[in-house]
């Protein structure tokens, strides 16, 4: 038996589909149903669960209208290219959700440096700052939190190397020790609240529920313009899951999605939230619930690429070939349907295909130039997200 297990080799995923199992256990059809609810355990109704995000100021509402106007050009550029899922992001988060299946523990003795840092026994390196100093003096010091780039790896450790090579990666044994050490977990949550405040968010309770903080207007504006902080948020979400606070991730991602897609205060965060933040959640049902919520509010809707994959349509036997016109589309869809619900789904898919074929006519010389510019913007955004913290 030992030889059989020893001969097993981890196979690296090679496609986005191999990395993403979000929809594999979905009990619903391949199309999003209006008003559909998540049935699996652990999923919450995103429009009704948890505290509602309060609307603090009229100025924030006015800014929303301005932001939507500014978003228009960005949406036009985005719609001019067929967006693709990032394989780098999918693979990175696949490894995280599966506890780094090919990870090898370091050969050097485990010094538990992350735990000792949180017990205030050693300072972070290279700055020589102890955790108590950060917890008592850094709250509200937004300049320091923004421009210092060595503390984040110590405050939110992971089982992967970041930019601060003085920070030690977590190990399985250290994670167990950390989760059983009350003082370390208490300080970890305080560090989490400092970063939430930096982002304009406040922690409401011990269940991880969050809401806008009084400083949200200024901080959201800053967060929308400082996209390197999205890398920090990804690290924070991962670290929450590693150190025993998996349940804290859903409320934070839900709020960020609402601000990005509904309130319009964080439009630049849309890509990171959908490509990275959601996929740090380990439960399929939670990811599906968030993605359904996002799909209801994403604009333009035809560019939403994170939904359930469409089922492959098998041509009916004895088909004599394709005919032009919408009538033929309707006849084929109804003929193939096994139920009224499936018939509706097929009709919608065929109509979408017709719209896609019609939309291809816009590709003039001028359109090609816009397409190239749009792709450059998407590629740059994806490149920024590949830089580890």
């Amino acid at each position: 038996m030992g030889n059989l297990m020893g001969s097993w080799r981890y196979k690296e995923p090679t496609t986005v589909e191999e990395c993403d199992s979000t929809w594999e256990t979905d009990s619903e059809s391949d199309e999003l149903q209006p008003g559909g609810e998540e049935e699996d355990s652990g999923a919450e109704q995103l429009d009704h669960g948890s505290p509602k995000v309060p609307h603090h100021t009229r100025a924030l509402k006015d800014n929303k209208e301005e932001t939507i106007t500014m978003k228009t050009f960005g949406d036009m550029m985005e719609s001019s290219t067929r967006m693709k899922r990032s394989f780098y992001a999918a693979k990175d988060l696949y490894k995280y959700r599966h506890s780094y299946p090919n990870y090898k523990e370091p050969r050097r003795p485990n010094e538990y440096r992350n735990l000792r840092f949180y017990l205030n026994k050693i300072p972070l390196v290279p700055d020589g700052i102890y955790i108590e100093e950060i917890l008592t003096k850094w709250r509200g010091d937004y300049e320091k939190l923004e421009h210092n780039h060595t503390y984040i790896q110590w405050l939110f450790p992971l089982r992967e190397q970041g930019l601060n090579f003085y920070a030690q990666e977590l190990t399985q044994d250290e994670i167990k020790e950390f989760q059983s050490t009350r003082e370390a977990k208490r300080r970890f949550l305080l560090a989490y609240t400092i970063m939430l405040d930096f982002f304009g968010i406040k922690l409401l309770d011990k269940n991880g529920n969050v809401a806008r903080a009084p400083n949200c207007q200024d901080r959201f504006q800053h967060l929308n313009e400082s996209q390197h902080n999205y890398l920090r948020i990804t690290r924070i979400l991962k670290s929450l899951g590693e150190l025993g606070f998996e349940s804290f991730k859903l409320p934070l991602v839900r709020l960020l999605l609402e601000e990005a897609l509904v309130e319009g205060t964080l439009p630049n965060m849309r890509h990171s939230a959908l490509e990275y933040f959601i996929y740090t959640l380990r439960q399929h049902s939670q990811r599906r619930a968030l993605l359904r919520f996002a799909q209801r509010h994403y604009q333009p809707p035809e560019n939403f690429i994170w939904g359930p994959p469409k089922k492959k349509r098998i041509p009916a036997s004895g088909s004599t070939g394709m005919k032009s016109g919408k009538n033929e589309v309707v006849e084929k869809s109804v003929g193939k349907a096994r139920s009224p619900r499936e018939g509706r789904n097929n009709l919608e898919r065929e109509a979408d295909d017709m719209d896609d074929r019609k939309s291809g006519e816009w590709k003039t010389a001028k359109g090609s130039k816009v397409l190239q510019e749009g792709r450059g913007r998407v590629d740059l955004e994806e490149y920024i997200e590949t830089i580890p913290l």
Side-chain angles (χ1 to χ4, degrees), residues 194-209:
I194 288 177
M195 294 308 298
L196 287 180
D197 176 72
F198 174 64
F199 298 140
I201 301 169
K202 63 181 178 180
L203 183 65
L204 296 178
D205 53 42
K206 64 181 180 180
N207 296 318
N209 291 310

Side-chain angles (χ1 to χ4, degrees), residues 287-314:
R287 298 201 300 273
R288 289 197 296 267
L290 289 170
L291 288 170
R292 290 189 179 109
F293 169 80
Q295 189 169 16
R296 287 196 294 271
H297 300 284
Y298 192 89
Q299 295 295 330
E302 62 270 17
N303 277 9
F304 189 84
I305 57 175
W306 298 272
K310 293 183 178 180
K311 295 178 180 177
K312 295 182 180 179
R313 296 187 296 276
I314 302 175

Side-chain angles (χ1 to χ4, degrees), residues 34 36 64 101 110 118 123 134 152 173 194 201 237 262 299 333 343 356 379 382:
K64 175 186 173 183
N110 195 337
Y118 262 104
I134 295 175
I152 197 72
D173 290 339
I194 288 177
I201 301 169
L237 288 166
V262 182
Q299 295 295 330
S333 300
D356 288 343
D379 291 343
E382 183 173 318

Side-chain angles (χ1 to χ4, degrees), residues 76-89:
M76 291 173 61
M77 294 291 292
E78 186 175 314
S79 62
S80 67
T81 182
R82 286 292 180 184
M83 296 178 63
K84 293 182 179 180
R85 293 279 305 277
S86 165
F87 174 65
Y88 171 86

